[in-house]
Amino acid sequence: MRNFVRHEMDDIGQLIGLDELLNHQIVDTFSSTATADLGWTEKIWTALVRKDGSLSIDFGLGRYHNRGVMDGWAAVARGVEQWTVRASRELRDDPTETSVGPLTYEIIEPLHKVRYALAKTDAQPIAFDVTFTSEMPPFFEDRHKQREKDGFRIGSDVVRYHQIGVPSGWVEIDGERIEINPEEWTEYRDHSWGQRLDVGAHNADVRPSSDFGDVKFGEGEFVLIWSPFMLTAPNGEKHAYHFYFMAKQGRIFYSSGYRNHPDGRQEKVARVRPELTYDDRTRRLLGGKVHFDMLQGGSHTVEVEVAGPTAVHLGPGLYLGFDGRKHGSWKGKLEVEGEKFDDTLDIPTLKRIRQLRDCPILVREGDATGHGIMETIIHGAHPDIGLTAENSLI
């Protein structure tokens, strides 16, 4: 059955199969987006970690409609080792096709159960097939809208929801298959779309975009923390937190935080106050506390402990760039590649893959305990927590 109909009209996009449905929201076909900006992106991501911190898996997929590209990546980390596979292909006419080479994303039950798979390749000796099942409903974060430094062009206008759940399935490393037991693992996923920073290489004749993802990213004082986690009380009651915090030169320029509940209720956080420590050599999270001052009054404090040395680094997945490669770049009909890092705490390696990682954490609030992940970037000198400027560019 044909999914694509060519026509000769200049002001209306091509007809595709989705146009038969009653879901249009702009005065055009599904082959068009609301903006022609090259940064328009729709991206899914998941991270699953063994609760003891010994093994981690990441998966990501991005559709760059106005670039004609779909790309993705998958990684497995064990101890300080990390294997990564990346794939990129031309964007075909069927927007419901959510696979790139060996990478597959499948919606089994919307907003509850999805599948992530990496088939065996010659790029690296890893493979997995994981099904996510939700423990909480999905929750939106605050819209991330950010203008460029000149005050004119909008660099970011993204909405994102995240969800907490448990994985089941298997992962294979060098021929060894490991079963993923839901009781021993935890999983986090998100889905975002909109005009995104850090997509594609800079055009030589266009003013460089914001520092986030820019070629000079890392110069100067900058802090980023993104974290979802869930806690369970002794009586079995559950609640979760999610926050996204960014500050530059001591000024907070984006902050989103909520205390979330299984029935879908969200309590907004007015201010997030991280009190965390990091290793000066590697900029790796060591632990600490996060204080949440609630919009309706009162505060909550959550203790954070790092679970083991394992964490997938997002740099090889092209977050903030890797070896000159960028998200959404045209690689032709299909490209599959990858590499292994033997020690992700090695300084020359860190300078290549950067410090951004999905760090597994243990959390405690009163008598409630739980698990989560925390992504952090901390650049510049922060003498109050013992960080010098020496390794600020990692």
Side-chain angles (χ1 to χ4, degrees), residues 68-70 87-92 97-100 332-334:
V69 172
M70 177 172 276
S88 176
R89 67 165 171 84
E90 62 183 3
L91 194 63
R92 294 188 274 274
E97 184 180 353
T98 51
S99 63
V100 183
K333 188 174 182 179
L334 177 66

Side-chain angles (χ1 to χ4, degrees), residues 323-344:
D323 287 353
R325 303 172 179 89
K326 302 286 284 186
H327 279 141
S329 298
W330 172 258
K331 299 292 183 64
K333 188 174 182 179
L334 177 66
E335 178 184 85
V336 180
E337 61 179 357
E339 64 282 304
K340 181 193 176 187
F341 295 100
D342 293 321
D343 185 358
T344 55

Side-chain angles (χ1 to χ4, degrees), residues 2-7 13-16 93:
R2 291 190 67 184
N3 192 50
F4 181 63
V5 179
R6 293 190 178 277
H7 62 67
Q14 300 293 337
L15 277 173
I16 60 176
D93 60 323

Side-chain angles (χ1 to χ4, degrees), residues 256-322:
S256 171
Y258 290 90
R259 195 173 195 258
N260 298 322
H261 299 273
D263 62 1
R265 288 184 300 117
Q266 290 189 273
E267 299 177 73
K268 187 169 178 59
V269 176
R271 182 173 64 162
V272 179
R273 291 183 288 119
E275 190 181 335
L276 302 166
T277 59
Y278 304 82
D279 180 79
D280 188 35
R281 176 178 170 274
T282 63
R283 298 292 163 124
R284 189 177 191 274
L285 176 69
L286 295 178
K289 298 178 181 179
V290 181
H291 307 283
F292 298 95
D293 298 332
M294 308 305 294
L295 185 64
Q296 300 300 327
S299 293
H300 299 276
T301 295
V302 176
E303 299 174 43
V304 177
E305 178 184 348
V306 172
T310 300
V312 169
H313 284 252
L314 281 73
L318 304 188
Y319 286 78
L320 308 180
F322 171 72

Side-chain angles (χ1 to χ4, degrees), residues 102-150:
L103 300 165
T104 298
Y105 169 63
E106 178 188 359
I107 302 167
I108 299 173
E109 184 179 340
L111 305 180
H112 176 57
K113 186 171 290 190
V114 296
R115 173 175 169 255
Y116 307 88
L118 168 66
K120 292 182 180 180
T121 71
D122 294 331
Q124 287 297 315
I126 57 171
F128 57 79
D129 197 321
V130 176
T131 296
F132 167 98
T133 302
S134 67
E135 288 192 284
M136 287 270 189
F139 293 102
F140 273 111
E141 305 167 25
D142 291 339
R143 181 188 298 266
H144 180 198
K145 192 166 186 177
Q146 183 176 325
R147 288 191 181 271
E148 295 297 336
K149 289 177 286 189
D150 59 12

